Amino acid sequence: MTAEDDPKMLKTTATSIAVLEYLEETHGARVSEIAESMGLPKSTIHGHLTTLKHKQFVIQEGDFYSLGPELLRLGNKVRTRDSGYVLARKFTEQLFEETGLRSIFAAEMDGKAVFLHTASGNKMGWAHEQLGNRLYLHSTAVGKAILAELPEQRVDQIIEKWGLPAETESTITTREGLSAELEEVRNRGYAVNRGENFRELYAIGDAAARRPGDVIGGFSVTGPAHAIVETGKEEELARQVTDIVREFELELSLV
Amino acid sequence: MTAEDDPKMLKTTATSIAVLEYLEETHGARVSEIAESMGLPKSTIHGHLTTLKHKQFVIQEGDFYSLGPELLRLGNKVRTRDSGYVLARKFTEQLFEETGLRSIFAAEMDGKAVFLHTASGNKMGWAHEQLGNRLYLHSTAVGKAILAELPEQRVDQIIEKWGLPAETESTITTREGLSAELEEVRNRGYAVNRGENFRELYAIGDAAARRPGDVIGGFSVTGPAHAIVETGKEEELARQVTDIVREFELELSLV
DNA sequence: AGGTCTCGTTCGGCCATAGTGAACTTTATA
DNA sequence: TATAAAGTTCACTATGGCCGAACGAGACCT
């Protein structure tokens, strides 16, 4: 989408990936369409698709191409790398069953929160669609919970890398504001996101560590503002979230 | 692994993918190790990693590289492409809860069965690890169930592409044998795998269609031989599987 | 501290090869 | 059957990926 002309990038690989990303956006496409959209000759695109098809990164049905199963296989390894990630699945579902709110488990990767598990009532759609998406740490409940357990130095690195961009008018955008918030999270024992990411969407999150200081990710529940801040609701939800984290950490220590 | 020197393949992209596949096998690695294993200079590998890192196909922690979240995001789109795939998740879990046996939902892609959902009692591991894996259609319960609903012509194409390799001594390896088996599947209403894929592993599967003739995938339950063939057990399990498929198809028609 | 080893990263030249446009084939449409 | 539109193949050329060597950063040892 945005023009990428960083130095030191392998153009061929970058183009192949751009093709994959195009197929993702469009839910599959044909050669000519891709070629036109990307401003490249059909023959070039054809070459990329042939290569990607060989590796099952794309599959071909007639003359229609879409993302292939090898991407699913590799992508899934990301969720399997840490045994804790795998274990987190059932706790995410349990959290949803108890609260009735959209529940997620996210891990910190490269300074962002990556959704590894989601559970929600919606039969269709969005829960699955978020997997692999990256959100900022400073504007989400899980993110702030994770940051609160990271050494200051690490927090600085992350801020230097990603900044503190405002996503709504409630987003924390200053280092001092964030420090104060993280201190509050530590005192309170859990993190709250009050529409800092999406307007009117509130969330409660807590981080989980393999052993003290070794954070592997965090859980959170998300809902419309009124569902979270209703009298007494926040404390009850917070207890449910932190209880799940405790149970998770206990079982994790036994693995 | 096996030497790939097909023509018409973009070497750069192929190498980048080989790096990804190496990182998958080793659960992450460092530059020198990859370079040595692949017989390429460090600088070359470095270039590939830099590019892949940029696109978040890999992430870097210190000087350790592993698969990145963008792979998870793209891979997940494979499970989201068809609304039926998404819907299948909860039925897969329901099937497991009812039978207590490992349950899967697989879709046919490019002549193979791709695991899109799995549910099993094991807290750890394997259920997740199979996602995205491809199995032959002729040696699995879901696969045979799917083949049984495909036009003969299509079956021929698939056999021509992948053959009928023997995976155990029970695998069906002839076109005539397969035709007879598929006919039996159609009469019986479900497919059975009697150690044709892994010795001593039996499975019962049934295919699901969006509308008659338009197969989108299939469900199956798998277990050790004795758990499936025990007196009367096969019929009971088969009923549970086919009931799930009916419910799934009903709900699918409403989407 | 100083020295050595290892590993990651940068750099410039060379030539393999990705990109290109045109020609060719196939499939769909009228 | 003719026409068009799409996919695929092909050979040429200049680009840019590959390589080896040099550089820099840590870790370890004495």
Side-chain angles (χ1 to χ4, degrees):
Chain A
M1 291 283 100
T2 56
E4 325 251 9
D5 38 23
D6 297 54
K8 314 282 160 189
M9 284 241 298
L10 270 43
K11 202 178 169 189
T12 311
T13 296
T15 304
S16 284
I17 291 179
V19 170
L20 290 176
E21 233 112 55
Y22 182 83
L23 290 177
E24 183 258 311
E25 288 168 19
T26 59
H27 299 260
R30 296 184 314 175
V31 176
S32 300
E33 181 193 335
I34 305 172
E36 192 179 2
S37 299
M38 296 182 53
L40 292 169
K42 286 186 298 178
S43 51
T44 300
I45 299 301
H46 184 261
H48 284 273
L49 288 172
T50 303
T51 307
L52 293 169
K53 185 177 69 171
H54 256 255
K55 306 288 186 170
Q56 301 268 340
F57 272 49
V58 307
I59 56 167
Q60 181 180 11
E61 289 161 328
D63 51 16
F64 189 82
Y65 291 86
S66 36
L67 298 181
E70 185 67 358
L71 280 169
L72 177 57
R73 197 177 71 85
L74 291 180
N76 208 58
K77 295 294 175 176
V78 176
R79 299 207 292 184
T80 313
R81 188 161 68 235
D82 190 304
S83 62
Y85 296 168
V86 179
L87 184 64
R89 180 187 182 180
K90 72 171 187 189
F91 286 94
T92 310
E93 271 154 20
Q94 193 181 327
L95 186 58
F96 164 67
E97 279 156 27
E98 288 177 13
T99 63
L101 293 173
R102 294 188 331 211
S103 304
I104 64 119
F105 174 79
E108 183 265 325
M109 290 186 191
D110 202 26
K112 289 222 176 183
V114 180
F115 284 68
L116 295 188
H117 296 290
T118 61
S120 84
N122 285 9
K123 322 178 184 290
M124 304 300 305
W126 89 252
H128 277 246
E129 285 167 13
Q130 300 219 40
L131 288 187
N133 276 3
R134 277 91 65 190
L135 268 53
Y136 289 104
L137 296 179
H138 74 285
S139 62
T140 53
V142 237
K144 292 194 288 185
I146 291 171
L147 284 176
E149 304 212 11
L150 256 34
E152 282 293 311
Q153 185 188 350
R154 193 67 205 296
V155 176
D156 289 330
Q157 281 176 11
I158 292 172
I159 294 176
E160 189 178 354
K161 174 152 198 176
W162 298 110
L164 296 169
E167 307 202 272
T168 72
E169 61 279 1
S170 313
T171 309
I172 296 168
T173 55
T174 64
R175 177 65 234 235
E176 305 76 52
L178 185 61
S179 289
E181 173 77 0
L182 296 185
E183 186 55 30
E184 203 180 328
V185 169
R186 279 185 286 264
N187 293 334
R188 187 167 45 198
Y190 60 90
V192 183
N193 166 6
R194 298 192 166 82
E196 297 156 42
N197 186 30
F198 294 107
R199 213 165 274 156
E200 291 303 314
L201 265 194
Y202 279 38
I204 293 177
D206 192 11
R210 168 159 261 118
R211 46 193 95 253
D214 180 16
V215 190
I216 77 159
F219 294 86
S220 77
V221 294
T222 306
H226 64 82
I228 308 278
V229 291
E230 218 172 76
T231 334
K233 205 70 175 127
E234 179 181 316
E235 287 72 21
E236 186 192 340
L237 286 170
R239 197 182 42 71
Q240 288 175 307
V241 173
T242 53
D243 280 356
I244 284 280
V245 170
R246 300 269 153 63
E247 288 175 41
F248 172 71
E249 286 176 333
L250 173 62
E251 200 158 321
L252 189 57
S253 69
L254 305 176
V255 174
Chain B
M1 290 288 97
T2 55
E4 326 253 7
D5 38 22
D6 297 53
K8 313 281 161 192
M9 284 242 296
L10 303 189
K11 202 177 167 191
T12 313
T13 295
T15 304
S16 284
I17 291 179
V19 169
L20 291 176
E21 234 112 56
Y22 183 83
L23 290 177
E24 183 257 313
E25 287 168 20
T26 58
H27 299 260
R30 297 185 314 176
V31 177
S32 300
E33 181 194 336
I34 305 172
E36 192 179 2
S37 298
M38 294 181 55
L40 292 169
K42 286 186 297 177
S43 51
T44 300
I45 299 301
H46 184 262
H48 284 274
L49 288 172
T50 303
T51 307
L52 293 169
K53 184 177 70 173
H54 230 262
K55 306 288 185 169
Q56 303 266 350
F57 272 49
V58 307
I59 56 167
Q60 182 180 12
E61 290 161 328
D63 50 15
F64 190 82
Y65 291 86
S66 36
L67 298 181
E70 184 67 359
L71 280 170
L72 177 58
R73 197 177 72 86
L74 291 180
N76 209 59
K77 295 293 174 175
V78 176
R79 298 207 292 184
T80 313
R81 187 161 71 236
D82 191 305
S83 61
Y85 296 168
V86 179
L87 183 65
R89 180 187 182 181
K90 72 171 186 186
F91 287 95
T92 309
E93 272 155 19
Q94 193 182 327
L95 186 57
F96 164 66
E97 279 156 28
E98 289 178 13
T99 62
L101 293 173
R102 296 188 328 211
S103 304
I104 63 119
F105 173 79
E108 183 266 323
M109 290 186 190
D110 202 25
K112 290 223 177 181
V114 180
F115 284 67
L116 296 188
H117 297 289
T118 61
S120 83
N122 286 8
K123 324 180 184 280
M124 303 301 305
W126 87 253
H128 277 245
E129 285 167 13
Q130 301 219 38
L131 288 187
N133 276 3
R134 278 91 65 191
L135 268 55
Y136 289 104
L137 296 178
H138 74 285
S139 63
T140 54
V142 238
K144 291 195 288 187
I146 291 171
L147 284 176
E149 303 212 10
L150 257 31
E152 281 294 311
Q153 184 188 352
R154 193 68 206 295
V155 176
D156 289 330
Q157 280 176 12
I158 292 172
I159 293 177
E160 189 178 354
K161 174 152 198 177
W162 299 109
L164 296 169
E167 307 202 90
T168 73
E169 60 279 2
S170 314
T171 310
I172 296 168
T173 55
T174 64
R175 179 66 234 234
E176 305 76 52
L178 185 62
S179 289
E181 173 77 0
L182 297 185
E183 186 55 30
E184 203 179 329
V185 168
R186 279 185 285 264
N187 293 333
R188 188 167 44 197
Y190 60 91
V192 182
N193 167 5
R194 298 191 165 83
E196 297 156 42
N197 185 30
F198 293 108
R199 213 164 276 157
E200 290 303 315
L201 265 194
Y202 279 40
I204 294 177
D206 192 11
R210 167 159 262 118
R211 45 193 95 253
D214 180 16
V215 190
I216 77 159
F219 294 86
S220 77
V221 294
T222 307
H226 64 83
I228 308 278
V229 291
E230 218 171 75
T231 334
K233 205 69 175 129
E234 178 179 316
E235 287 73 20
E236 186 192 340
L237 286 169
R239 198 183 40 71
Q240 289 175 306
V241 173
T242 52
D243 280 356
I244 283 281
V245 170
R246 300 269 153 65
E247 288 175 41
F248 172 72
E249 287 177 332
L250 175 61
E251 200 159 321
L252 189 57
S253 69
L254 305 177
V255 175

PDB file of all heavy atoms in Angstrom, chain B residues 102 130 135 139 167-168 193-202:
ATOM      1  N   ARG B 102     -10.377 -37.315  19.175  1.00  0.00           N
ATOM      2  CA  ARG B 102      -9.783 -36.209  18.414  1.00  0.00           C
ATOM      3  C   ARG B 102     -10.639 -35.918  17.197  1.00  0.00           C
ATOM      4  O   ARG B 102     -10.915 -36.795  16.390  1.00  0.00           O
ATOM      5  CB  ARG B 102      -8.368 -36.569  17.971  1.00  0.00           C
ATOM      6  CG  ARG B 102      -7.440 -36.758  19.146  1.00  0.00           C
ATOM      7  CD  ARG B 102      -5.989 -36.934  18.756  1.00  0.00           C
ATOM      8  NE  ARG B 102      -5.772 -37.591  17.500  1.00  0.00           N
ATOM      9  CZ  ARG B 102      -4.694 -38.344  17.251  1.00  0.00           C
ATOM     10  NH1 ARG B 102      -3.795 -38.552  18.183  1.00  0.00           N
ATOM     11  NH2 ARG B 102      -4.531 -38.872  16.064  1.00  0.00           N
ATOM     12  N   GLN B 130      -1.089 -29.631  13.961  1.00  0.00           N
ATOM     13  CA  GLN B 130      -1.468 -30.175  12.667  1.00  0.00           C
ATOM     14  C   GLN B 130      -2.088 -29.142  11.742  1.00  0.00           C
ATOM     15  O   GLN B 130      -2.254 -29.401  10.556  1.00  0.00           O
ATOM     16  CB  GLN B 130      -2.501 -31.285  12.862  1.00  0.00           C
ATOM     17  CG  GLN B 130      -2.011 -32.411  13.705  1.00  0.00           C
ATOM     18  CD  GLN B 130      -2.508 -33.722  13.149  1.00  0.00           C
ATOM     19  OE1 GLN B 130      -2.565 -33.900  11.937  1.00  0.00           O
ATOM     20  NE2 GLN B 130      -2.863 -34.626  14.005  1.00  0.00           N
ATOM     21  N   LEU B 135      -2.862 -33.816   4.081  1.00  0.00           N
ATOM     22  CA  LEU B 135      -2.865 -35.279   3.993  1.00  0.00           C
ATOM     23  C   LEU B 135      -3.497 -35.700   2.673  1.00  0.00           C
ATOM     24  O   LEU B 135      -4.300 -34.973   2.089  1.00  0.00           O
ATOM     25  CB  LEU B 135      -3.650 -35.876   5.166  1.00  0.00           C
ATOM     26  CG  LEU B 135      -2.830 -36.237   6.416  1.00  0.00           C
ATOM     27  CD1 LEU B 135      -2.046 -35.049   6.919  1.00  0.00           C
ATOM     28  CD2 LEU B 135      -3.747 -36.747   7.506  1.00  0.00           C
ATOM     29  N   SER B 139      -6.234 -41.802   1.686  1.00  0.00           N
ATOM     30  CA  SER B 139      -5.850 -42.620   2.835  1.00  0.00           C
ATOM     31  C   SER B 139      -6.375 -42.077   4.153  1.00  0.00           C
ATOM     32  O   SER B 139      -5.887 -42.432   5.210  1.00  0.00           O
ATOM     33  CB  SER B 139      -4.316 -42.725   2.896  1.00  0.00           C
ATOM     34  OG  SER B 139      -3.757 -41.442   3.093  1.00  0.00           O
ATOM     35  N   GLU B 167       0.760 -45.658   2.458  1.00  0.00           N
ATOM     36  CA  GLU B 167       1.328 -45.112   3.691  1.00  0.00           C
ATOM     37  C   GLU B 167       1.424 -46.188   4.775  1.00  0.00           C
ATOM     38  O   GLU B 167       2.249 -46.114   5.667  1.00  0.00           O
ATOM     39  CB  GLU B 167       0.502 -43.923   4.166  1.00  0.00           C
ATOM     40  CG  GLU B 167       0.353 -42.905   3.030  1.00  0.00           C
ATOM     41  CD  GLU B 167       0.038 -41.527   3.518  1.00  0.00           C
ATOM     42  OE1 GLU B 167       0.977 -40.777   3.771  1.00  0.00           O
ATOM     43  OE2 GLU B 167      -1.159 -41.209   3.666  1.00  0.00           O
ATOM     44  N   THR B 168       0.545 -47.167   4.678  1.00  0.00           N
ATOM     45  CA  THR B 168       0.669 -48.376   5.492  1.00  0.00           C
ATOM     46  C   THR B 168       0.316 -49.534   4.575  1.00  0.00           C
ATOM     47  O   THR B 168       0.004 -49.333   3.405  1.00  0.00           O
ATOM     48  CB  THR B 168      -0.301 -48.384   6.695  1.00  0.00           C
ATOM     49  OG1 THR B 168      -1.634 -48.607   6.214  1.00  0.00           O
ATOM     50  CG2 THR B 168      -0.247 -47.081   7.460  1.00  0.00           C
ATOM     51  N   ASN B 193     -11.575 -45.032   7.918  1.00  0.00           N
ATOM     52  CA  ASN B 193     -10.152 -45.228   7.661  1.00  0.00           C
ATOM     53  C   ASN B 193      -9.645 -46.252   8.664  1.00  0.00           C
ATOM     54  O   ASN B 193      -9.623 -46.008   9.861  1.00  0.00           O
ATOM     55  CB  ASN B 193      -9.432 -43.884   7.813  1.00  0.00           C
ATOM     56  CG  ASN B 193      -7.909 -44.034   7.887  1.00  0.00           C
ATOM     57  OD1 ASN B 193      -7.367 -45.117   7.735  1.00  0.00           O
ATOM     58  ND2 ASN B 193      -7.235 -42.923   8.121  1.00  0.00           N
ATOM     59  N   ARG B 194      -9.233 -47.400   8.158  1.00  0.00           N
ATOM     60  CA  ARG B 194      -8.778 -48.477   9.048  1.00  0.00           C
ATOM     61  C   ARG B 194      -7.261 -48.606   8.964  1.00  0.00           C
ATOM     62  O   ARG B 194      -6.725 -49.462   8.265  1.00  0.00           O
ATOM     63  CB  ARG B 194      -9.439 -49.797   8.651  1.00  0.00           C
ATOM     64  CG  ARG B 194     -10.947 -49.779   8.777  1.00  0.00           C
ATOM     65  CD  ARG B 194     -11.551 -51.182   8.641  1.00  0.00           C
ATOM     66  NE  ARG B 194     -12.929 -51.195   9.100  1.00  0.00           N
ATOM     67  CZ  ARG B 194     -13.976 -50.837   8.365  1.00  0.00           C
ATOM     68  NH1 ARG B 194     -13.792 -50.441   7.127  1.00  0.00           N
ATOM     69  NH2 ARG B 194     -15.203 -50.880   8.873  1.00  0.00           N
ATOM     70  N   GLY B 195      -6.584 -47.715   9.649  1.00  0.00           N
ATOM     71  CA  GLY B 195      -5.131 -47.771   9.668  1.00  0.00           C
ATOM     72  C   GLY B 195      -4.487 -47.582   8.305  1.00  0.00           C
ATOM     73  O   GLY B 195      -3.387 -48.069   8.063  1.00  0.00           O
ATOM     74  N   GLU B 196      -5.133 -46.832   7.442  1.00  0.00           N
ATOM     75  CA  GLU B 196      -4.601 -46.660   6.093  1.00  0.00           C
ATOM     76  C   GLU B 196      -3.606 -45.506   6.013  1.00  0.00           C
ATOM     77  O   GLU B 196      -2.913 -45.326   5.014  1.00  0.00           O
ATOM     78  CB  GLU B 196      -5.760 -46.410   5.109  1.00  0.00           C
ATOM     79  CG  GLU B 196      -6.707 -47.596   5.023  1.00  0.00           C
ATOM     80  CD  GLU B 196      -8.097 -47.193   4.572  1.00  0.00           C
ATOM     81  OE1 GLU B 196      -8.203 -46.365   3.657  1.00  0.00           O
ATOM     82  OE2 GLU B 196      -9.094 -47.699   5.148  1.00  0.00           O
ATOM     83  N   ASN B 197      -3.582 -44.739   7.076  1.00  0.00           N
ATOM     84  CA  ASN B 197      -2.758 -43.548   7.104  1.00  0.00           C
ATOM     85  C   ASN B 197      -1.637 -43.720   8.128  1.00  0.00           C
ATOM     86  O   ASN B 197      -0.454 -43.576   7.823  1.00  0.00           O
ATOM     87  CB  ASN B 197      -3.663 -42.367   7.470  1.00  0.00           C
ATOM     88  CG  ASN B 197      -2.956 -41.049   7.405  1.00  0.00           C
ATOM     89  OD1 ASN B 197      -2.034 -40.897   6.618  1.00  0.00           O
ATOM     90  ND2 ASN B 197      -3.365 -40.123   8.238  1.00  0.00           N
ATOM     91  N   PHE B 198      -2.039 -44.060   9.343  1.00  0.00           N
ATOM     92  CA  PHE B 198      -1.100 -44.483  10.366  1.00  0.00           C
ATOM     93  C   PHE B 198      -1.587 -45.817  10.903  1.00  0.00           C
ATOM     94  O   PHE B 198      -2.778 -45.989  11.161  1.00  0.00           O
ATOM     95  CB  PHE B 198      -1.026 -43.471  11.519  1.00  0.00           C
ATOM     96  CG  PHE B 198      -0.439 -42.165  11.099  1.00  0.00           C
ATOM     97  CD1 PHE B 198      -1.240 -41.044  10.982  1.00  0.00           C
ATOM     98  CD2 PHE B 198       0.916 -42.064  10.836  1.00  0.00           C
ATOM     99  CE1 PHE B 198      -0.690 -39.831  10.590  1.00  0.00           C
ATOM    100  CE2 PHE B 198       1.470 -40.856  10.448  1.00  0.00           C
ATOM    101  CZ  PHE B 198       0.661 -39.734  10.316  1.00  0.00           C
ATOM    102  N   ARG B 199      -0.673 -46.712  11.071  1.00  0.00           N
ATOM    103  CA  ARG B 199      -1.009 -48.035  11.574  1.00  0.00           C
ATOM    104  C   ARG B 199      -1.769 -47.915  12.895  1.00  0.00           C
ATOM    105  O   ARG B 199      -1.407 -47.107  13.758  1.00  0.00           O
ATOM    106  CB  ARG B 199       0.299 -48.802  11.793  1.00  0.00           C
ATOM    107  CG  ARG B 199       0.191 -50.279  11.552  1.00  0.00           C
ATOM    108  CD  ARG B 199       1.584 -50.858  11.415  1.00  0.00           C
ATOM    109  NE  ARG B 199       2.102 -50.713  10.054  1.00  0.00           N
ATOM    110  CZ  ARG B 199       3.405 -50.722   9.759  1.00  0.00           C
ATOM    111  NH1 ARG B 199       4.294 -50.837  10.691  1.00  0.00           N
ATOM    112  NH2 ARG B 199       3.789 -50.593   8.500  1.00  0.00           N
ATOM    113  N   GLU B 200      -2.809 -48.691  13.016  1.00  0.00           N
ATOM    114  CA  GLU B 200      -3.568 -48.763  14.274  1.00  0.00           C
ATOM    115  C   GLU B 200      -4.409 -47.533  14.576  1.00  0.00           C
ATOM    116  O   GLU B 200      -5.034 -47.444  15.618  1.00  0.00           O
ATOM    117  CB  GLU B 200      -2.652 -49.045  15.473  1.00  0.00           C
ATOM    118  CG  GLU B 200      -2.082 -50.455  15.473  1.00  0.00           C
ATOM    119  CD  GLU B 200      -3.190 -51.513  15.439  1.00  0.00           C
ATOM    120  OE1 GLU B 200      -4.157 -51.365  16.191  1.00  0.00           O
ATOM    121  OE2 GLU B 200      -3.083 -52.462  14.647  1.00  0.00           O
ATOM    122  N   LEU B 201      -4.378 -46.529  13.669  1.00  0.00           N
ATOM    123  CA  LEU B 201      -5.236 -45.362  13.879  1.00  0.00           C
ATOM    124  C   LEU B 201      -6.451 -45.470  12.957  1.00  0.00           C
ATOM    125  O   LEU B 201      -6.306 -45.512  11.738  1.00  0.00           O
ATOM    126  CB  LEU B 201      -4.500 -44.059  13.612  1.00  0.00           C
ATOM    127  CG  LEU B 201      -3.871 -43.344  14.799  1.00  0.00           C
ATOM    128  CD1 LEU B 201      -3.482 -41.929  14.425  1.00  0.00           C
ATOM    129  CD2 LEU B 201      -4.805 -43.342  16.015  1.00  0.00           C
ATOM    130  N   TYR B 202      -7.606 -45.547  13.564  1.00  0.00           N
ATOM    131  CA  TYR B 202      -8.848 -45.627  12.803  1.00  0.00           C
ATOM    132  C   TYR B 202      -9.564 -44.287  12.855  1.00  0.00           C
ATOM    133  O   TYR B 202      -9.384 -43.509  13.789  1.00  0.00           O
ATOM    134  CB  TYR B 202      -9.764 -46.716  13.389  1.00  0.00           C
ATOM    135  CG  TYR B 202      -9.415 -48.114  12.937  1.00  0.00           C
ATOM    136  CD1 TYR B 202      -8.083 -48.507  12.821  1.00  0.00           C
ATOM    137  CD2 TYR B 202     -10.410 -49.049  12.645  1.00  0.00           C
ATOM    138  CE1 TYR B 202      -7.748 -49.788  12.420  1.00  0.00           C
ATOM    139  CE2 TYR B 202     -10.091 -50.336  12.254  1.00  0.00           C
ATOM    140  CZ  TYR B 202      -8.755 -50.703  12.137  1.00  0.00           C
ATOM    141  OH  TYR B 202      -8.440 -51.971  11.753  1.00  0.00           O
TER     142      TYR B 202
END
